[in-house]
Amino acid sequence: MAVSLPPTLGLGSAPDEIQHPHIKFSEWKFKLFRVRSLEKAPEEAQVERKDSSEGKLSLEQSPAVVDKAGAEKPALPQPALKPHPKFLKKSHDDEGKAREKAMHQANLRHLCRICGNSFKNVEHNRRYPVHGPVDGKTQVLLRKKEKRATSWPDLIAKVFRIDVKADVDSTHPTEFCHNCWSIMYRKFRSAPSEAYFPRNATMEWHPHTPSCDICHSARRGLKRKSHQPSVQLSKKLKMVLDRARQARQRTKRAQARISSKEMMKQIATCSKIHLSTKLLAVDFPAHFVKSISCQICEHILADPVETTCKHVFCRICILRCLKVMGSYCPSCRYPCFPTDLESPVKSFLSILNSLMVKCPAKECDEEISLEKYNHHVSTHKNSKETFVHINKGGRPRQHLLSLTRRAQKHRLRELKLQVKAFADKEEGGDVKSVCLTLFLLALRARNEHRQADELEAIMQGRGSGLQPAVCLAIRVNTFLSCSQYHKMYRTVKAITGRQIFQPLHALRNAEKVLLPGYHPFEWQPPLKNVSSSTDVGIIDGLSGLSSSVDDYPVDTIAKRFRYDAALVSALMDMEEDILGGMRAQDLDDYLNGPFTVVVKESCDGMGDVSEKHGSGPAVPEKAVRFSFTVMKITIAHGSQSVKVFEEAKPNSELCCKPLCLMLADESDHETLTAILSPLIAEREAMKNSQLMLEMGGILRTFKFIFRGTGYDEKLVREVEGLEASGSVYICTLCDATRLEASQNLVLHSITRSHAENLERYEVWRSNPFHESVEELRDRVKGVSAKPFIETVPSIDALHCDIGNAAEFYKIFQLEIGEVYKNPSASKEERKRWQATLDKHLRKKMNLKPIMRMNGNFARKLMTKETVEAVCELIPSEERHGALRELMDLYLKMKPVWRSSCPAKECPESLCQYSFNSQRFAELLSTKFKYRYEGKITNYFHKTLAHVPEIIERDGSIGAWASEGNESGNKLFRRFRKMNARQSKCYEMEDVLKHHWLYTSKYLQKFMNAHNAVKNSGFSINSQGCLEEDSLGLEDSLETQDSMEF
């Protein structure tokens, strides 16, 4: 006969004799024999079940008889019937299996769940439960370290990577040893300890088998009595018995399931305070009704909460069940604690609140939304059928914060009286201190220490200070080094007596959320040749370069982010903008995409970045930065593509995010290829995959389109493998030579592409037609190196403006010297013309001479006032008219390629562009023939020939320029000065990190709010109180005694 043990042998369900951890085997065997002797035979038990009309407790549930004195005695069994010999072996087998399972589980209680060692072998014979909250010492440590984990399963998962929430008591031990506890404690304390982990890998636990290692090791050295072989049962009889046993088990499970659900409904007792699903106005499908109903009471969800196993219940129902039935989910038996309950995502709550329900009042036939149900039933004061779907104590209940002040007083009246009575008795009537202390304790209990610290500071009269994100924004935007910020932090704290600014370690914690490598993500399908790990921060730019003797010696320092991690961080930084754009377009928050993200790539070199102080390795004096800008995000909605985000200032350094920084020369093709090739490989892999990223609590899909347009002429030729800009092939967009472009200034079309350049390189490398050098060069149209970065054929607006301004500056010099009359002027005369022009421009236009044309000088030079000043140096009136007309045509064409959206900003100039360009070309070929006969500059050719075609293709040229990357050059120098170190490697890491934080939209919002507060007149005086100048307070201090931020 089988030992009556439950299906899952847990700590609370096994007999007390088995639960004792130090019992000897002989004593346990004797007591097990006593338990078996009190049990009934199977046939008798079946007869009694058939005869009884009411469900009585079986012997498996340990019935007891209560005597008059109140003591419990075990119930005496009736005389058992002798079983038939055919069933003798069956009962012995079941009895033996149950005994082995009980022994296996008893042995498990002596082992550690994590390392598998016996508790007897541990020096400290202490043990800790695997499930449940942490002990007091560990909780104090977690509060100091501001960790959110409050239960052992969370800590074990973080330290040992073991998920113990799905453990089964019959397979896994339920406790762990002090040695494993010491390892976890040392992990969070960050201090040396003598604890060690005895195994290289964690233990794997398996269900009990006849050859179980645990049981064999436990019974080693003990002599067992072998069982006598029993008579073999027939095969047919075995099948009949198995089917009967399976049928009984199914019946028991069904009854237990029904009884447990009914028991949970009785525990919840919410039939009078929650709305039934029968009140739904629409006949929804059964699976939808099940998803919006509580799995305990089967009513419409009221104040819904979600467990860690993703089951949804009413808050009051799940809390009552956890209190009565234990800390596990009622649906799947997964371990669950009240501290694990969280609110569902907002999209689910919005769907739930928008459901239409019928008013239960007999005289009312209205259908209202669940969100407005409470307000509606308040009009039926005399109706007995109406009740509020969120209720406590039978009274109408809304969320406390959504009530009026009078309703809040009414609901909290009893609590207020209790608190007042306690305050009068213990605290001298100080009700405010008691309430604030209760709130502070509630925050500490939930590990919300930041809010608790702020509240405690307010209670002590010190104020809460600035948030770490605000302090980080101030430090980054004011370019303060660590020592400068720490000095300011100490000074302000000493003067005001308050911790207004946060310490540096708080700023470093705030940095982690904003830097790449913090947010988890996934690619479908996985990226080719790219690691699947997501916690990747700053890496070495040369990490993928294999080093050997024969390789090219790369003498440089490079730091970069991984491309996909940087894109994820940029998207999460724009989370509020994306969700706000969806709401502005009347789209639902729960739409998961796919989103299409258009990214502009920029790369540019920086000259003269050498340090004038310090030591370290010898590095080149030039640097290169590769950046990207998120230009536009759209979402597919039906058959349309809706724009949810567009960068308002695409040429600002605030939106140009750095991806790679290297101390190298942009003309060094080998170094540039070695460092940027891994980036390009990651970009190519992302083109054929989709990003799965959780944003706003919903897993969303993103696809990326990369456009390499932020390159100047020199870098385009470098990465596309073209000859230098002084080559015969003048243009990077078409195959025209310099002579062809000068003979036909306007009529050209874009013919070059990255794929075609790759094919031409293969022809150049292999020379399949065995041609001469000149013939081969003419065939490949100037391709002489392998292209390694795909660029979009376009014009860089900034460098186009600079190149054209340099050409006008040259025209002004030639007009002053009247070269149209005397073309053969000496070099000394040309220098004298330039000196005359520089002196006059400085006098009239306040333009200082420069060594090299830049953007600021170009903007000031290309004006009508400059032409008028230059005309004062030219004697011929005819040349005055030609110069004025040339500048006038140029100023009409310039807005077309400089504006972000020419169709909106300058539609008239866009329509007249073809006419103006033809007239401009005509002037160059006639009035200024002395300079442009048989030759033309690169940028003049692009301006006259390719602008309309690019505008028609992309809609804009200025928005895709490299101006944002050029503006970041000054940031590089400032951040390098801010983070000056002896080690250049760490210095580059800090520069890249702070440059990335400078472009964070999250920090920019804090900085804008801080500047708004500063401009409105708020100041912090030496007493530590916040003042506003506009209020005119009498006790405000003088200006020199206050520190204004």
Side-chain angles (χ1 to χ4, degrees), residues 705-761:
I705 299 176
F706 300 96
R707 292 176 55 85
T709 58
Y711 303 89
D712 58 4
E713 173 92 7
K714 180 180 180 181
L715 207 58
V716 168
R717 292 180 176 273
E718 184 71 30
V719 301
E720 287 286 2
L722 303 177
E723 295 176 351
S725 57
S727 167
V728 173
Y729 296 94
I730 184 175
C731 187
T732 59
L733 308 178
C734 65
D735 298 335
T737 62
R738 195 172 299 274
L739 180 61
E740 293 172 352
S742 64
Q743 294 173 352
N744 182 7
L745 294 175
V746 178
L747 302 177
H748 293 277
S749 61
I750 299 175
T751 56
R752 288 187 186 271
S753 66
H754 182 70
E756 186 180 19
N757 290 338
L758 284 172
E759 294 176 1
R760 289 177 174 175
Y761 169 73

Side-chain angles (χ1 to χ4, degrees), residues 82-95:
K82 187 176 181 179
H84 194 276
K86 292 184 178 181
F87 300 97
L88 194 59
K89 184 179 185 304
K90 182 70 177 178
S91 61
H92 279 301
D93 292 341
D94 294 341
E95 181 179 336

Side-chain angles (χ1 to χ4, degrees), residues 968-985:
N969 291 354
K970 58 182 180 183
L971 295 177
F972 177 85
R973 295 182 176 92
R974 296 200 65 175
F975 281 125
R976 194 171 185 197
K977 183 178 180 181
M978 164 185 168
N979 298 286
R981 289 192 183 189
Q982 294 294 321
S983 173
K984 301 298 179 183
C985 294

Side-chain angles (χ1 to χ4, degrees), residues 604-605 712 796-809 838 846-863 890 894 898 939 962-963 966-967 969-970 973:
D604 186 39
D712 58 4
D796 183 57
L798 174 65
H799 291 90
C800 184
D801 203 10
I802 293 175
N804 291 337
E807 190 61 22
F808 267 88
Y809 184 72
D838 290 340
N846 197 21
L847 282 176
K848 298 180 181 179
I850 56 172
M851 297 296 295
R852 183 181 178 187
M853 183 67 65
N854 56 50
N856 292 328
F857 191 90
R859 277 188 289 273
K860 296 177 181 179
L861 182 70
M862 304 304 289
T863 58
Y890 181 82
K894 179 181 175 180
R898 288 294 286 173
Y939 286 110
S962 65
E963 196 163 357
E966 290 285 346
S967 302
N969 291 354
K970 58 182 180 183
R973 295 182 176 92

Side-chain angles (χ1 to χ4, degrees), residues 258-276:
I258 295 173
S259 62
S260 63
K261 183 163 288 189
E262 294 297 331
M263 187 188 304
M264 287 190 293
K265 287 185 179 180
Q266 293 177 5
I267 293 172
T269 61
C270 59
S271 58
K272 294 185 179 181
I273 59 176
H274 291 168
L275 293 177
S276 173

Side-chain angles (χ1 to χ4, degrees), residues 654-675:
L654 295 176
C655 63
C656 189
K657 294 185 173 294
L659 189 62
C660 178
L661 289 177
M662 66 188 92
L663 294 174
D665 192 350
E666 60 180 326
S667 60
D668 188 351
H669 184 81
E670 288 79 6
T671 303
L672 209 62
T673 306
I675 296 176

Side-chain angles (χ1 to χ4, degrees), residues 491-531:
T491 304
V492 173
K493 189 175 182 180
I495 292 176
T496 63
R498 294 170 51 192
Q499 185 173 313
I500 298 174
F501 291 98
Q502 301 299 324
L504 279 171
H505 68 84
L507 268 64
R508 294 191 181 100
N509 291 332
E511 288 176 359
K512 296 178 182 177
V513 185
L514 301 174
L515 291 173
Y518 180 80
H519 302 281
F521 58 91
E522 184 182 359
W523 288 92
Q524 292 293 341
L527 298 184
K528 186 178 180 181
N529 298 328
V530 180
S531 172

